[in-house]
Amino acid sequence: MTYAIKPLACDPTRIKGMSEKLIVSHYENNYGGAVNRLNAIEAQLAELDFAKAPGFVINGLKREELIANNSMILHELFFASLGDESTPEGELHDALARDFGSFDRWRAEFSADGQGAGRRLGMGAADLVAARQQARQSVGDGPHDDACRRPADRRTRHV
């Protein structure tokens, strides 16, 4: 399957806090690069003889496919979410207040996570992800990533 670069979902001249140059560069280089990388990996997989290929080659390509696919999806969500600043309402607002003590506490922690990711990873991004049992936020190789993914009871499996 060939993946296409989706049109930029926002007007980069209207985004506060980020320059048009930064947004367009990130869209073309980071997002476009992820899509192009995923297409290159897909082409390699299409030509691969799985019956004869060594396991490490298959595993490596499949791992890189997953990384590129996740990068593509997260960039699409990022660009689709850019717009005027707003405050969540309804169930999302209530869940954030419940899980973090208050909405303002969540906003402060979420902003700090994004800024910390900029210092740690060279990118200033944070994702809010709704998990089955509770809201979680993730910033890549953060200190809580393994704890969030690993079930408290090792006999429990998340599907």
Side-chain angles (χ1 to χ4, degrees):
M1 173 178 198
T2 301
Y3 296 91
I5 297 172
K6 292 185 177 182
L8 187 56
C10 66
D11 178 354
T13 63
R14 296 191 61 224
I15 305 303
K16 295 178 185 171
M18 290 185 284
S19 71
E20 176 183 5
K21 181 179 176 181
L22 175 68
I23 293 170
V24 171
S25 174
H26 193 87
Y27 169 78
E28 291 174 349
N29 298 310
N30 298 77
Y31 168 61
V35 174
N36 292 335
R37 182 168 171 241
L38 181 58
N39 284 328
I41 294 165
E42 293 287 333
Q44 288 178 298
L45 286 168
E47 294 180 10
L48 192 65
D49 183 346
F50 285 88
K52 294 180 182 175
F56 72 90
V57 171
I58 297 168
N59 290 342
L61 284 170
K62 295 304 274 184
R63 181 176 43 255
E64 293 303 314
E65 177 188 39
L66 179 62
I67 291 168
N69 192 51
N70 286 342
S71 181
M72 179 183 74
I73 292 167
L74 287 173
H75 277 96
E76 288 171 354
L77 290 171
F78 169 76
F79 288 111
S81 71
L82 290 179
D84 294 333
E85 185 175 335
S86 62
T87 300
E89 298 175 352
E91 288 183 42
L92 177 57
H93 185 278
D94 295 346
L96 292 170
R98 179 194 67 226
D99 292 348
F100 291 89
S102 72
F103 175 77
D104 290 334
R105 167 72 187 186
W106 168 79
R107 181 180 290 236
E109 185 176 333
F110 189 74
S111 296
D113 280 347
Q115 292 169 6
R119 290 188 290 275
R120 279 192 321 276
L121 306 171
M123 61 174 205
D127 303 317
L128 176 66
V129 179
R132 282 189 177 159
Q133 296 184 1
Q134 62 186 4
R136 289 278 186 217
Q137 53 193 47
S138 172
V139 277
D141 292 328
H144 304 294
D145 275 3
D146 290 339
C148 292
R149 291 188 188 116
R150 184 174 46 247
D153 179 351
R154 297 233 182 245
R155 295 169 295 182
T156 303
R157 300 186 99 179
H158 295 279
V159 181

